Amino acid sequence: MKHFFTFLTCLFLAVQLQAQNEFNYDESKVPQFTLPNPLVLSGGKKVKSVKVWEKKRRPEIFRLFEEQVYGKIPAGLKMTSFKVVEQSDHVFNGLARRKQVEMVLQKDGRELLVYLLIYLPQTVEKAPLFVGYNFYGNHTIADDAEIMLTQSWVANNPSFGIINNQITEQSRGVRTNRWPVKMILESGYGLATMYYGDVDPDRNNFSDGVHPFAYLYGQTQPRANEWGAISAWAWGLTQAMDYFETDPDIDASKVAVMGHSRLGKASLWAGAVDQRFAVVISNNSGCGGAALSRRRFGETVQRINTAFPHWFCTNFKAYNDNENNLPVDQHELIALIAPRPVYIASAEQDRWADPKGEYLSGHYASPVYQLYGMEGLPSADMPPLHQPIMNRIGYHIREGVHDVTDYDWQQFIRFADKHLFGK
Ligand code: GCU
């Protein structure tokens, strides 16, 4: 049986790789394109001051991302309550404290439960924090028998023992490789994580997760300009931020939001939506994340909208094979985060996510940072492997595949140290 599932997983990966091979990986075949200028107002006037950027241009760009890309997050939708349902003062041999927080959303007889797992370093009174979603449940991120198991729908992954869209003990600790909890704690930071499927299960079904809480009578799916899953995940991060502000053990003014891949798309959008995030980090976020859509390198808008029809808003589908008509490109998502520090991480073999396109987004967002007197990524040329740039826009490319590694985390910590503490 086990071999059968391993076989199925291999087959699935092979089919995915085969599909990915049909896309462009040849730099010489990247089309010519002109990017929208973040510092020109829709009426054609140049933006020359922070004031005009903040009052006029930023709202214009923000609205375009809301209406045309990710979909609007319903205003005023907030968790009904937060409750610490479990805590311990002695975790990892005294290195940390742990809290598990139940965030409850109740409305019209419906209920959504989202669980935040928080580790805080014992040595720090009011801890700065990294917050990020995990893919398969909080219990996967650490070898810690006390982490509660999510009841939410989870994508099957036979190699983790997840077969009926339900997790079991078998997957406890299977993702510790992506979450160097001790390193984070020893660096003086807390770590908070949530399972993204608690907020919105990652499947093309708009009757579960948080979406129905915002429907008007009779509505069964979001309208063309309303939130897809990425916006729903971003909303979940803003709710976690609301909780942090109530917790005296957390320094809510020093929260770095981090996400990998689809969840890196969500962390960037959350950083744009919610300016309380002091640092924003995306790892291998690719198409619809940091990568420029107009490059059409690796994953394209058409492909992402087909494979994941529920991630973006319906309006975004109008740009399938039609990137030049997008009123924005992803460098403007980075620009929406200005003047806060933003970090973009790529991996050499993660060509599907277009490392160069990820770098260039940071580069083309830089004029907005310059307006604030801050340095982004001034050079149009990418740095070599393992030579991180730690400006107000940070960037690295490491060797290896699509993943989150200790190397990545080391840079995220350095970046946060520099920009939050001037270290
Ligand atoms: C797929 C998808 C990417 C996404 C990735 C992930 O590869 O095409 O856009 O980033 O999954 O989330 O792992």
Side-chain angles (χ1 to χ4, degrees):
M1 193 68 170
K2 201 165 170 198
H3 291 304
F4 177 65
F5 282 126
T6 315
F7 168 75
L8 273 187
T9 310
C10 291
L11 191 69
F12 174 73
L13 289 175
V15 170
Q16 242 196 354
L17 272 180
Q18 171 65 31
Q20 293 184 5
N21 280 339
E22 292 157 20
F23 291 84
N24 179 43
Y25 292 113
D26 181 348
E27 194 57 39
S28 72
K29 295 205 178 107
V30 169
Q32 291 274 330
F33 57 82
T34 311
L35 290 175
N37 188 332
L39 290 181
V40 175
L41 285 156
S42 57
K45 270 199 176 164
K46 279 203 172 142
V47 178
K48 292 193 183 130
S49 68
V50 165
K51 194 166 156 209
V52 175
W53 163 256
E54 288 183 356
K55 292 255 152 27
K56 297 216 164 107
R57 183 59 177 149
R58 186 183 188 278
E60 273 182 9
I61 296 176
F62 185 78
R63 245 170 268 128
L64 291 170
F65 274 103
E66 272 190 316
E67 295 269 336
Q68 304 295 321
V69 183
Y70 303 107
K72 282 168 89 113
I73 297 174
L77 188 67
K78 290 215 163 280
M79 288 291 178
T80 320
S81 65
F82 305 120
K83 190 171 165 202
V84 178
V85 287
E86 189 276 340
Q87 61 184 321
S88 163
D89 283 343
H90 193 85
V91 187
F92 306 136
N93 291 321
L95 179 64
R97 292 180 283 170
R98 180 187 58 235
K99 297 187 192 193
Q100 298 187 71
V101 180
E102 184 179 72
M103 307 200 284
V104 186
L105 174 62
Q106 277 165 338
K107 209 180 153 205
D108 306 331
R110 291 186 88 92
E111 190 174 66
L112 185 79
L113 300 176
V114 179
Y115 291 90
L116 255 176
L117 165 67
I118 306 173
Y119 291 118
L120 297 171
Q122 283 286 16
T123 49
V124 185
E125 223 171 81
K126 221 172 155 51
L129 197 78
F130 287 94
V131 59
Y133 278 119
N134 59 70
F135 280 80
Y136 289 101
N138 295 347
H139 70 299
T140 59
I141 78 136
D143 288 317
D144 177 349
E146 302 305 319
I147 304 174
M148 291 150 46
L149 300 183
T150 181
Q151 302 296 312
S152 305
W153 180 94
V154 182
N156 283 338
N157 184 331
S159 64
F160 292 169
I162 307 170
I163 44 175
N164 290 316
N165 302 116
Q166 198 65 47
I167 52 152
T168 63
E169 275 295 331
Q170 209 185 319
S171 43
R172 190 174 294 279
V174 292
R175 275 287 163 85
T176 50
N177 57 313
R178 285 192 175 178
W179 300 92
V181 178
K182 288 187 184 155
M183 174 169 102
I184 295 168
L185 291 163
E186 278 162 0
S187 305
Y189 292 87
L191 173 67
T193 187
M194 305 179 271
Y195 168 53
Y196 78 137
D198 278 358
V199 176
D200 190 22
D202 193 358
R203 55 176 171 174
N204 191 14
N205 172 347
F206 282 107
S207 61
D208 59 9
V210 68
H211 284 101
F213 288 80
Y215 290 154
L216 300 174
Y217 184 73
Q219 193 179 354
T220 56
Q221 61 178 54
R223 281 186 289 245
N225 67 346
E226 290 178 340
W227 56 346
I230 294 174
S231 274
W233 300 325
W235 171 85
L237 289 164
T238 69
Q239 300 309 293
M241 191 65 191
D242 283 356
Y243 169 75
F244 301 148
E245 288 188 325
T246 69
D247 188 329
D249 298 330
I250 293 172
D251 183 350
S253 74
K254 292 191 170 54
V255 175
V257 59
M258 177 273 174
H260 169 63
S261 208
R262 69 197 67 183
L263 300 176
K265 309 181 208 297
S267 70
L268 289 173
W269 180 227
V273 166
D274 190 336
Q275 302 194 46
R276 293 174 299 174
F277 289 112
V279 176
V280 182
I281 301 166
S282 81
N283 192 71
N284 307 176
S285 61
C287 181
L292 291 174
S293 301
R294 279 171 175 74
R295 277 175 47 82
R296 299 172 55 94
F297 188 100
E299 188 169 30
T300 61
V301 170
Q302 199 264 338
R303 156 71 198 223
I304 206 167
N305 276 330
T306 308
F308 307 99
H310 56 294
W311 282 3
F312 299 84
C313 69
T314 305
N315 280 343
F316 192 51
K317 299 200 165 71
Y319 307 101
N320 288 350
D321 274 327
N322 184 26
E323 289 84 353
N324 284 328
N325 276 331
L326 265 169
V328 286
D329 210 319
Q330 298 305 110
H331 62 306
E332 290 173 304
L333 176 63
I334 307 298
L336 288 177
I337 296 163
R340 289 162 298 148
V342 56
Y343 196 86
I344 303 167
S346 305
E348 188 185 23
Q349 288 173 47
D350 185 23
R351 295 189 310 156
W352 184 236
D354 185 14
K356 184 165 181 190
E358 293 177 321
Y359 176 80
L360 286 177
S361 266
H363 172 64
Y364 290 117
S366 298
V368 177
Y369 279 77
Q370 263 159 31
L371 205 60
Y372 285 92
M374 288 167 175
E375 194 166 35
L377 301 175
S379 167
D381 297 324
M382 292 171 74
L385 292 182
H386 307 133
Q387 291 193 25
I389 300 174
M390 294 276 162
N391 295 341
R392 199 69 175 181
I393 304 178
Y395 179 84
H396 76 243
I397 178 164
R398 61 156 169 81
E399 65 182 357
V401 297
H402 187 73
D403 199 359
V404 194
T405 67
D406 282 5
Y407 177 84
D408 297 318
W409 275 105
Q410 278 154 10
Q411 312 321 313
F412 303 157
I413 291 168
R414 270 182 64 201
F415 188 71
D417 275 352
K418 174 165 178 190
H419 293 283
L420 292 177
F421 296 101
K423 282 194 211 162

